[in-house]
């Protein structure tokens, strides 16, 4: 049995035992008075909360060792209050009828407080460790790996000069793969920026020129693709410079994952207090297993997204206070829709010359 299971079993089991004991005291307290019942209920609530840890502790993000440590803190809180109760019972304090319920409630409160202290400390330590690992991964992706890829491209360029025939095709394939890896490292950098939303300044941005620019670029780069655009003359949203990255990734996914002749429609419209940007394509649908990753917000070794583009879109839009939804079009393709908050006329006036058009 893992430490995670043992820790959860201890916390939940302790909560069940304390709840049963306090329920018995609650029945007895009904004969004593309202005050005694209130004392018992003050311990029954934290005891039931410990029982509920079976539901929310697995969703806390703590791993096995951390869950076990939280359980130890809960046990420590129970032990301290139990010793205090023993000291009270061994003293010359006169035991009145509601004191047993008070002692039982104090044990439950002690376990609950210990549990909260342990969870707080472990979550802080987990956050620090996650921040350190993110720093290391970002350095590796943005600096070390990028440098290695540039070196590989240099050697590949030299190799191209000495190859011919079928070998040239392999070299071209290698170059495409390295270019894709380089693009992924850049997206990883942008994800790091997207997650630091509190350090980015948002402002009113007219989304229409950005979309027109991206659509024109796609038409030039993929002349065989059919790209239709339906948008108003102006639609201002809360955003920043990463909005262009969001649009690039939406259109890019619709093009590069289409094995035939791509056909997509980009539609922009005002939906009440939000702006809706909808990209519809006729390519292969995004697998359900991959969509489940985005709806649940976590990846596992068996269920993960194939790329970082859609993660980047999701996190940037969420940092704007918006939302991303994935669906299937009438023709069997994909529909990706993002909703962004619109900016008011007052905000546009306040930003003045900084208003991005």
């Amino acid at each position: 049995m893992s430490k995670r299971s043992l820790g959860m079993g201890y916390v939940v089991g302790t909560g069940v035992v304390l709840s049963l004991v306090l329920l018995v005291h609650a029945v007895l307290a009904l004969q004593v008075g309202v005050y005694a019942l209130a004392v018992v209920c003050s311990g029954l609530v934290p005891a039931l909360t410990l029982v509920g840890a079976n539901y929310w502790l697995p969703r806390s993000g703590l791993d096995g060792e951390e869950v076990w440590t939280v359980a130890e803190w809960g046990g420590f809180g129970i032990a301290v209050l139990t010793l205090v109760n023993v000291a009270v019972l061994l003293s010359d304090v006169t035991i009145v009828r509601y004191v047993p319920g008070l002692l039982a409630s104090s044990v439950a409160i002690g376990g609950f407080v210990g549990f909260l202290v342990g969870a707080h400390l472990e979550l802080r330590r987990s956050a620090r460790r996650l921040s350190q690992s993110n720093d290391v991964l970002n350095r590796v992706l943005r600096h070390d790996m990028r440098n290695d890829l540039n070196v590989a491209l240099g050697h590949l360029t030299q190799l191209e000069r000495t190859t011919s025939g079928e070998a040239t095709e392999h070299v071209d394939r290698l170059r495409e793969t390295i270019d894709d890896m380089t693009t992924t490292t850049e997206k990883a950098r942008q994800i790091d920026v997207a997650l630091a939303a509190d350090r980015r300044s948002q402002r009113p941005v007219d989304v229409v020129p950005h979309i027109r620019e991206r659509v024109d670029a796609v038409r030039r780069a993929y002349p065989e693709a059919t790209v239709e655009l339906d948008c108003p003359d102006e639609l201002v949203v809360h955003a920043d410079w990463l909005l262009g990255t969001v649009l690039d990734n939406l259109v890019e996914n619709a093009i590069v994952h289409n094995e035939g002749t791509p056909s997509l429609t980009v539609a922009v419209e005002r939906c009440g207090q939000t702006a809706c940007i909808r990209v519809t394509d006729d390519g292969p649908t995004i697998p359900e297993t991959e969509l489940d990753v985005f709806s649940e917000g976590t990846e596992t070794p068996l269920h993960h997204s194939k790329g970082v583009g859609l993660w980047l879109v999701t996190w940037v839009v969420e940092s704007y206070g918006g939302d991303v939804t994935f669906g299937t079009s009438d023709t069997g393709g994909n529909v990706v829709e993002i909703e962004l908050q619109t900016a008011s006329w007052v905000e546009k006036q306040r930003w003045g010359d900084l208003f991005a058009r």
Side-chain angles (χ1 to χ4, degrees):
M1 184 175 291
S2 65
K3 282 194 171 183
R4 182 189 184 90
S5 299
L6 288 173
M8 288 185 57
Y10 173 78
V11 173
V12 174
T14 300
V16 170
V17 172
L18 290 174
S19 297
L20 293 175
V21 171
L22 287 167
L23 284 173
V24 173
H25 280 289
V27 174
L28 298 175
L30 290 174
Q31 305 173 2
V32 178
V34 177
Y35 181 75
L37 183 61
V39 168
V40 173
C41 289
S42 67
L44 185 59
V45 172
L48 291 174
T49 304
L50 293 179
V51 177
N54 186 55
Y55 172 79
W56 57 270
L57 192 56
R59 295 164 173 78
S60 64
L62 298 175
D63 60 25
E65 289 289 342
E66 292 165 340
V67 170
W68 177 252
T69 302
V70 170
E72 289 180 332
W73 274 96
F76 177 73
I78 291 174
V80 170
L81 268 296
T82 300
L83 291 175
V84 171
N85 290 340
V86 171
V88 171
L89 293 173
L90 293 177
S91 65
D92 295 332
V93 175
T94 302
I95 303 298
V96 295
R97 296 182 65 183
Y98 64 81
V99 166
L102 176 62
L103 298 180
S105 294
S106 66
V107 171
I109 294 173
F112 177 68
V113 172
F115 181 82
L116 286 182
V117 170
H120 175 70
L121 293 176
E122 289 305 306
L123 284 172
R124 286 187 58 183
R125 187 170 69 172
S126 178
R128 288 196 300 269
R129 193 161 56 238
L130 180 61
S131 177
Q132 292 172 350
S133 64
N134 283 342
D135 290 342
V136 172
L137 289 176
N138 282 324
R139 176 183 57 79
V140 170
L141 286 173
R142 293 164 55 184
H143 185 266
D144 298 354
M145 183 177 291
R146 197 176 184 88
N147 288 346
D148 290 343
L149 290 174
N150 288 332
V151 172
L153 280 175
H155 288 290
L156 194 60
T157 300
Q158 296 296 325
L159 184 61
E160 283 179 320
R161 299 172 180 175
T162 60
T163 57
S164 61
E166 184 178 351
T168 303
E169 297 180 4
H170 294 293
V171 171
D172 291 340
R173 180 57 180 163
L174 280 174
R175 179 175 291 279
E176 292 177 2
T177 301
I178 293 176
D179 288 340
D180 289 342
M181 293 175 66
T182 303
T183 301
T184 299
T185 63
E186 175 59 23
K187 288 181 179 179
R189 183 191 70 83
Q190 293 171 339
I191 285 177
D192 185 42
V193 176
L195 294 177
D198 57 331
R199 297 197 295 271
R200 302 197 330 263
S201 177
Q202 297 181 25
R203 63 186 185 278
V205 177
D206 186 358
V207 71
V208 174
H210 287 277
I211 293 178
R212 291 188 185 279
E213 179 182 346
R214 266 66 190 182
V215 168
D216 290 341
V218 167
R219 286 169 174 167
R220 291 192 299 268
Y222 303 92
E224 74 282 1
T226 301
V227 185
E228 297 181 1
L229 176 62
D230 180 13
C231 64
D233 294 332
E234 178 186 85
L235 188 53
V236 183
V237 299
H238 283 291
D240 58 13
W241 62 274
L242 278 175
L243 178 61
T245 300
V246 170
L247 301 175
D248 284 339
N249 279 276
L250 286 179
V251 177
E252 175 190 342
N253 279 314
I255 294 292
V256 301
H257 294 297
N258 194 324
E259 298 177 355
T261 302
S263 176
L264 65 146
T265 301
V266 182
V268 185
E269 62 180 343
R270 181 184 293 273
C271 305
Q273 297 299 316
T274 63
C276 299
I277 303 172
R278 188 180 304 105
V279 178
T280 306
D281 64 50
D282 62 347
T285 57
I286 303 173
E288 287 292 334
T289 54
E290 190 162 345
L291 292 180
D292 290 341
V293 171
F294 292 100
S295 62
E296 296 171 3
T298 56
E299 291 199 354
T300 67
L302 294 178
H303 299 90
H304 59 274
S305 174
K306 294 181 179 179
V308 297
L310 292 181
W311 276 118
L312 179 58
V313 169
T314 300
W315 285 330
V316 172
V317 171
E318 288 180 350
S319 74
Y320 296 154
D323 190 28
V324 182
T325 56
F326 303 92
T328 304
S329 67
D330 296 335
T331 59
N334 301 288
V335 178
V336 182
E337 180 176 307
I338 65 175
E339 290 190 27
L340 300 174
Q341 297 178 357
T342 57
S344 66
W345 180 86
V346 175
E347 288 174 315
K348 289 191 289 184
Q349 298 300 314
R350 184 173 59 192
W351 278 91
D353 294 338
L354 292 179
F355 174 47
R357 302 186 65 88

